[in-house]
Amino acid sequence: MPTDTRRPAGAAHAGTAVGSTARRAGRPNRAPRRRPPNPLRAMVLAAFLLFFVVPVLWLLLAATKTDEQLVHGDPLSIGSWSALRHNWDALTSYQGDAILLWLRNSALYSFLALAITLGVTIPAGYALAMTEFHGRRTLLVATLVVMLMPNATLVVPLFLEVNAVHLVGSMWSIILPYSFYPFGAYLTYIYFSTAMPKELLAAAKLDGCSEFGAFRRIALPLAAPVVALVGFFSFVTNWTNYFLPYVLLPESDQFPVQVGLGTLLNNVPQFNPTVGSLEVQRPELALATLLAITPVLVVFLFSQRFLVSGMLAGATKS
């Protein structure tokens, strides 16, 4: 009598699994193949290192050297503490601590303009995003056009306007134009129109909250990232502005630090052979440049967490 030699399906699968497991156990595990490094990526990183990191490193080291060491020594060698102290003393003695006065002027102009900018652009962006009115689209287009214009093209019109109200030569001739920041208004408009839930504001109004109360109690606390973003960009723009204060401020004791750096540059003998007794050496100019960019770096370090969240705000919609 014939005997059925077929195995059940479950037993067949179990045998296959056991056999494959045994084969894998007897075979050593192969390490995943490592892809060769991309030469294009390495070239791009090397280019960034060459054009961005090396000049900053050179500037840091230049302030620690004498003028002779800066010209004839190794470009990336470290100077000495005594040379740095000598450069600091020479720089601060230029025109009676002029560099410190210029830094104070820059801080005064930038922070006062920043306060006015935040007090105007944040409510303006909220109004553009949350309300409908006649001419709203035209106002947004005009804001975009002014935002795309280079700052140098606005110097002459601003000079004529400031001169018409007799403010040329005063600090308000710098602070008021600095406060005009259309990019901040447009950035705030984008944030409120994409990241702010209108249902939340509508619920607050149903509970008896006014429009200003909804803005102050609900919208403004939630807009902390974009407030930090607008504040940082406004501060950097104000701090690095050169043409406007150069045109509107006639006295050297009113200069911000950017215009003051131009004055120091004109008193370096290698760049201006007609320099008289007010001679500035190149390491002193490098030290002044470091002092000019330090406040921007400090503000960036303290606000980078809010800057990242503000840049990502509105990137997705639920």
Side-chain angles (χ1 to χ4, degrees), residues 101-102 104-105 109 251-255:
L101 177 63
W102 295 336
R104 189 191 67 182
N105 292 339
Y109 302 154
E251 302 294 335
S252 62
D253 58 352
Q254 298 175 314
F255 287 167

Side-chain angles (χ1 to χ4, degrees), residues 20 70 72 95 121 124 159 275:
S20 61
L70 185 62
H72 300 289
Q95 292 187 353
T121 58
F159 175 81
V275 173

